[in-house]
Amino acid sequence: MDFFTIISNNLQQFLSFTGFANVTLGNLIMILFGFLFLYLGIVRKWEPMLLVPIGFGILIGNIPFAPGFQIGIYEDGSVMNYLYFGVLKGVYPPLIFLGIGAMTDFSALISNPKMMLIGAAAQFGIFGAYIVATLLGFNAAEAGAIGIIGGADGPTAIFLSSKLAPDLMGAIAVSAYSYMALVPVIQPPIMKLLTTKKERLIRMKPPRKVSQNEKIIFPILGLLLTTFLVPSGLPLLGMLFFGNLLKECGVTRRLATTAANPLIDIVTILLGLTVGASTQATTFLTPKSVMIFGLGAASFMIATATGVLFVKFFNLFLKEGNKINPLIGNAGVSAVPDSARVSQEVGLHYDKTNYLLMHAMGPNVAGVIGSAVAAGLLLGFLG
Amino acid sequence: MILCFLAVLMNTQAQGIKNVRINEVLVKNDSNCIDNYGIRSGWFEVFNTGYSTVNLGGCFVTNDINNPKKYRIAKGDASTILAPRSYAMFYAYQNSDRGIFHVNFSLDEKGFLALFDQSGKVLIDSVSYDIAAQIADISFGKMENIADKEAQWTTIENPTPGAVNYTKIEETRAEKFAKTDPHGFIITITCMGVVFLLLAFLGVTFTLIGRRFKRRTERLTAKMETDAPIAQEKSTQVQHNQENNDLIAIAMALHLYFNEQHEDEPTGFYLNRGLNFSNGWSAKYQMFKKSPNRNK
């Protein structure tokens, strides 16, 4: 064999390893999806902390490669496979909840505990989507995993789908995070549709000042009350309330700072990237994924609608002066603080001096607890 | 003697391979297991029914009786060694570049699957099936993991890749639940009820706690308002006394200074003490110590 033949053979072998030789139409479609996520995150600034890692993860997961080099996320022993372990086994979501707890101020909820009920009402989105999913032919476990998208809580969705329907986790996670980013687009039309102008102008009493002792008692009692009733929610609720106690107790400032800043940032990077990379065209581009995206949108809409309608119903029993502005009903979904911000913006559109943000934070953080409880219940029944 | 030993060894190995059986086959895979590349494909499982280790390396699998050497299982890899009573999974989607356990044929071509020994002439086990009758995600396998070749093949509704083929199908909790509540109305009512109850309970608890704290704050505020004049009077008096004390201290210091009765502050003491009590870890001079230079 002469020198040039060897060079030619080597080049041919090299070319067979390149992405160009292994590319499929599915890879190209998914790479376009990755571009879309990056565009929405970077240019539109919609949830950039989530969409940028997920978008880039989609690119990583869909780079075509010659198999056998321990590169792909589904290949045993690859680096991406090790990082994906945290998603598969539900390690990352509780860590994210720890950070969320350390960042969340529950004062708005403690000062007005009846907001808890709005957080509960909005969870109907989960079960509404569950019913529709079973009607579409998904089995009970899959329907539960899909329904949780309506909780508007990415970590909870990943946690539950990793337990109930690991095969659908990529589509569920991407769907949940996409719709969380689209909260400012999805919710306002529903809020406007279901409220009258008079209702949108309701002014609420300013929340009372909450003492530090109350803030310390809340995570301790909250943990005991919720997890005694729904122990399967312990990984999420335990970490959420623990993170909040670190923040509020005042003697663990360093731990709270770590949980609320570097830790949650690191876990978000790993979670976003691996969830994005798990959307390999071969597993992601299926009719089921399309249905999951449709059901995800439906669950967000149902959750928003039930939150708003519940406030209207609740107002029937409240005296004049104590009534709740139904524009904060949408905040019952646990997309913190995006949905509360939507309440504020829609409220300001109708009355420039009516600030609803602090009032909306109450149902918003109640929604976090509510969705974790709902996830625990679904896990208990279907897991 | 060596030849005898080798013959016995080879015979043992040959005996071992005869204990391997095709145990389970899934032809259409829509939502069953995926391989390391994220691909769902037909698969088959072989089972070492014996109690000695068997090396599959060098054996052949095929879907064509006229071509027994269609796919040769590579030799020399530890993963082909099958421990006693254990399983090996082969994925079949015509892509043998993806490793030893990816064969170069698919299961929906011929309706036949066979395992041959290292010579490619001795049939170890085979199975024929009707491709058209195959249902997605329902496999067929030998329900009893015994060495008997005649063990009955039967359909397995819940395929068990790489595991014992259960004769009894165990329903998952979700499946049991789906039977009693096919469209999820009961679970919706139950779960929404529990979520409402729980959050309402939490709300009531914190309403009560909040009231208690509110009353306490009001009591403290009222008490502070009552005590305010007395406190203000006390505060003025303390301030007055404080001013007097300051003046007295200044006067005493001036008196001592002008009469030269004051002591000189021993500034050197701290420096000397610092040097005397220093060690290699804390002494300042260590920090200024030059690094050793090579003599020119």
Side-chain angles (χ1 to χ4, degrees), chain A residues 67 74-75 127 167 208 283 380, chain B residues 36-38 40 173 183 191 203 210:
Chain A
Y74 295 110
E75 282 187 287
F127 300 101
D167 286 353
R208 74 175 171 85
T283 53
Chain B
N36 285 344
Y37 303 93
R40 279 201 177 85
R173 216 182 300 172
H183 297 305
C191 291

Side-chain angles (χ1 to χ4, degrees), chain A residues 201-263:
Chain A
L201 296 174
I202 291 175
R203 280 175 177 265
M204 294 170 67
K205 278 183 184 172
R208 74 175 171 85
K209 196 171 179 295
V210 175
S211 73
Q212 195 59 32
N213 286 346
E214 281 176 276
K215 287 184 187 177
I216 294 171
I217 292 169
F218 182 79
I220 299 168
L221 263 185
L223 171 78
L224 296 176
L225 292 178
T226 53
T227 54
F228 260 84
L229 201 61
V230 190
S232 43
L234 189 59
L236 297 176
L237 290 165
M239 291 301 238
L240 176 78
F241 287 124
F242 175 54
N244 190 245
L245 183 66
L246 291 179
K247 175 182 181 281
E248 300 298 356
C249 70
V251 290
T252 53
R253 204 165 295 280
R254 273 173 49 200
L255 300 186
T257 309
T258 303
N261 296 285
L263 181 66

Side-chain angles (χ1 to χ4, degrees), chain B residues 50-61:
Chain B
Y51 291 90
S52 59
T53 302
V54 175
N55 193 347
L56 291 174
C59 292
F60 294 90
V61 281

Side-chain angles (χ1 to χ4, degrees), chain A residues 67-68 74-75 113 116 120 127 130-131 134-135 167 208 211 213-214 218 221 225 229 280 282-283 380-383, chain B residues 31 36-40 98 173-174 177 182-184 187-188 191-192 196 198-199 201-203 206-207 209-210 213:
Chain A
Y74 295 110
E75 282 187 287
M116 293 267 189
F127 300 101
Y130 177 92
I131 292 171
T134 53
L135 291 172
D167 286 353
R208 74 175 171 85
S211 73
N213 286 346
E214 281 176 276
F218 182 79
L221 263 185
L225 292 178
L229 201 61
Q280 272 186 9
T282 45
T283 53
F381 282 122
L382 308 172
Chain B
S31 60
N36 285 344
Y37 303 93
I39 304 239
R40 279 201 177 85
R98 299 202 157 180
R173 216 182 300 172
F177 206 89
H183 297 305
I187 198 172
T188 301
C191 291
M192 281 306 290
F196 258 103
L198 189 61
L199 290 182
F201 186 50
L202 208 58
F206 279 93
T207 305
I209 292 172
F213 273 97

Side-chain angles (χ1 to χ4, degrees), chain A residues 130-210:
Chain A
Y130 177 92
I131 292 171
V132 180
T134 53
L135 291 172
L136 286 173
F138 286 97
N139 66 41
E142 288 174 339
I146 294 166
I148 202 70
I149 298 172
D153 197 329
T156 308
I158 290 171
F159 179 76
L160 194 65
S161 56
S162 70
K163 307 280 180 197
L164 294 183
D167 286 353
L168 304 180
M169 189 172 54
I172 288 170
V174 171
S175 173
Y177 279 118
S178 309
Y179 291 126
M180 279 167 70
L182 291 173
V183 156
V185 180
I186 296 171
Q187 290 195 324
I190 299 166
M191 292 157 70
K192 288 173 191 170
L193 184 74
L194 297 175
T195 52
T196 62
K197 195 173 180 190
K198 191 185 166 194
E199 285 169 335
R200 290 177 214 141
L201 296 174
I202 291 175
R203 280 175 177 265
M204 294 170 67
K205 278 183 184 172
R208 74 175 171 85
K209 196 171 179 295
V210 175

Side-chain angles (χ1 to χ4, degrees), chain B residues 191-261:
Chain B
C191 291
M192 281 306 290
V194 174
V195 172
F196 258 103
L197 189 77
L198 189 61
L199 290 182
F201 186 50
L202 208 58
V204 170
T205 309
F206 279 93
T207 305
L208 297 174
I209 292 172
R211 274 185 198 160
R212 191 179 166 82
F213 273 97
K214 203 175 162 187
R215 274 205 299 273
R216 196 174 154 217
T217 314
E218 282 168 359
R219 242 190 351 257
L220 283 172
T221 314
K223 197 181 173 201
M224 276 171 68
E225 279 169 6
T226 319
D227 296 347
I230 304 163
Q232 199 170 352
E233 197 179 315
K234 276 184 182 171
S235 161
T236 317
Q237 203 175 341
V238 168
Q239 203 175 344
H240 191 67
N241 290 342
Q242 185 69 35
E243 280 170 12
N244 286 346
N245 288 343
D246 291 347
L247 289 173
I248 291 164
I250 293 166
M252 279 180 71
L254 287 171
H255 171 76
L256 292 170
Y257 179 73
F258 287 120
N259 294 302
E260 292 187 349
Q261 288 176 355

